[in-house]
């Protein structure tokens, strides 16, 4: 018998065929595990390289993969690049947390990112893209909005900020946020959208507001990991409609 052949990327050890066409990417590996344990039927751990978990199972009889991206544009840039290129993934939906830039936005509010602005050099270095923002790619953004309406789940839409630094020396909001009327800050969507544009794939970013940068309200680290059920359910319900 010949040796088994399979596709394996540098940072994801799943075999060829073990990653579903639609992938939900959380930043935190433990959030990915929580979703797999609590929402998927018969989840199988298909990769754990560097303790970045990927699980493939079924939700409403549709095969879905849930994994982790780590934090920041370089990290999600690696994982989404390999998912699109090496595993033939068609759609990646980031499911993460964000810090609101507007006082009227509350913790636990959901944001479906229309576009992501950033000062990051990721897209220029990787692809020669010179834009300071990228839109969501494909139909996932619209599907999320339509699914939220069906489920009567309120969702905010608009532009967000994918910042490189989490901690900033200068007080107040960064200039890119005030100039472009951005709703909230996170750290990954810009690179995900750039990769999807390059590969002509689908990408969306659904966020739960975990803190408000203006009012200083926030949820705990434990709640970030496990108490984001509304976002998780909406993402999965949208995933089976894509």
């Amino acid at each position: 018998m010949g040796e088994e052949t399979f596709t394996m990327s540098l940072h994801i050890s799943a075999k060829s065929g073990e990653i579903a066409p639609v992938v939900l990417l959380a930043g935190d590996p433990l959030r990915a595990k929580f979703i797999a344990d609590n929402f998927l039927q018969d989840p199988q751990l298909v990769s754990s390289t560097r303790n970045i978990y990927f699980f493939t199972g079924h939700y409403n009889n549709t095969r879905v993969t849930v994994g982790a991206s780590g934090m920041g544009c370089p990290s999600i840039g690696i994982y989404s690049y390999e998912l699109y290129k090496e595993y033939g993934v068609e759609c990646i939906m980031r499911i993460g947390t964000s810090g609101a830039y507007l006082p009227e936005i509350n913790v636990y509010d959901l944001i479906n990112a229309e576009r992501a602005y950033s000062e990051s050099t990721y897209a220029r270095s990787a692809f020669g893209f010179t834009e300071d923002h990228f839109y969501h790619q494909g139909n996932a953004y619209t599907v999320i909005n339509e699914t939220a309406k069906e489920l009567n789940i309120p969702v905010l839409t608009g532009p967000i900020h994918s910042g490189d630094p989490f901690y900033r020396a200068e007080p107040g909001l960064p200039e890119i946020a005030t100039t472009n009327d951005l709703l909230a800050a996170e750290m990954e969507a810009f690179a995900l959208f750039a990769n999807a544009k390059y590969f002509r794939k689908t990408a969306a970013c659904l966020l739960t507001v975990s803190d408000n940068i203006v009012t200083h309200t926030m949820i705990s680290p434990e709640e970030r990991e496990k108490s984001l059920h509304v976002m998780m359910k909406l993402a999965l319900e949208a995933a089976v409609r894509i």
Side-chain angles (χ1 to χ4, degrees):
M1 296 179 62
E3 292 184 359
E4 182 182 17
T5 59
F6 54 86
T7 299
M8 188 170 70
S9 70
L10 287 174
H11 303 93
I12 304 170
S13 56
K15 297 178 182 178
S16 178
E18 290 186 332
I19 301 288
V22 177
V23 176
L24 273 57
L25 272 189
D28 182 359
L30 294 180
R31 189 181 306 143
K33 184 177 187 302
F34 180 86
I35 295 169
D37 290 344
N38 291 276
F39 289 90
L40 298 187
Q41 292 96 40
D42 301 318
Q44 303 295 317
L45 178 64
V46 297
S47 181
S48 59
T49 301
R50 295 174 177 251
N51 285 331
I52 294 291
Y53 305 133
F54 284 83
F55 299 88
T56 298
H58 289 82
Y59 183 82
N60 288 349
N61 298 315
T62 299
R63 193 161 171 264
V64 178
T65 294
V66 180
S69 69
M71 292 187 290
C73 283
S75 188
I76 197 171
I78 290 171
Y79 288 104
S80 59
Y81 187 101
E82 293 181 8
L83 288 168
Y84 285 137
K85 184 177 188 293
E86 305 297 342
Y87 290 94
V89 168
E90 291 298 324
C91 173
I92 297 175
M93 189 186 306
R94 164 163 155 69
I95 46 173
T97 55
S98 64
Y101 279 149
L102 303 178
E104 62 268 26
I105 298 178
N106 300 311
V107 294
Y108 295 114
D109 282 353
L110 297 184
I111 298 174
N112 186 14
E114 179 198 27
R115 61 193 185 276
Y117 284 79
S118 186
E119 311 94 328
S120 173
T121 61
Y122 174 84
R124 184 169 68 248
S125 298
F127 311 120
F129 294 161
T130 58
E131 300 96 314
D132 68 351
H133 68 280
F134 296 102
Y135 282 82
H136 68 89
Q137 302 292 306
N139 70 334
Y141 170 84
T142 300
V143 173
I144 291 170
N145 288 334
E146 293 173 345
T147 304
K149 186 175 181 180
E150 290 178 23
L151 300 177
N152 197 29
I153 298 174
V155 174
L156 302 172
T157 59
I160 62 166
H161 180 204
S162 299
D164 274 348
F166 185 84
Y167 301 104
R168 293 176 180 269
E170 295 184 4
L173 302 184
E175 181 180 357
I176 196 171
T178 56
T179 302
N180 296 288
D181 298 321
L182 304 186
L183 300 181
E186 53 90 65
M187 302 182 73
E188 290 82 28
F190 179 81
L192 172 61
F193 292 174
N195 279 355
K197 178 180 179 179
Y198 178 77
F199 285 110
R200 299 183 180 180
K201 298 295 183 85
T202 297
C205 176
L206 183 62
L207 303 166
T208 297
V209 175
S210 59
D211 63 287
N212 188 298
I213 296 169
V214 178
T215 66
H216 305 294
T217 55
M218 65 181 62
I219 63 178
S220 71
E222 292 77 16
E223 289 171 321
R224 286 178 186 237
E225 180 184 325
K226 297 181 178 179
S227 298
L228 308 176
H229 292 78
V230 177
M231 177 182 67
M232 295 171 185
K233 179 177 176 59
L234 175 56
L236 287 164
E237 290 288 340
V240 303
R241 291 165 165 82
I242 294 171

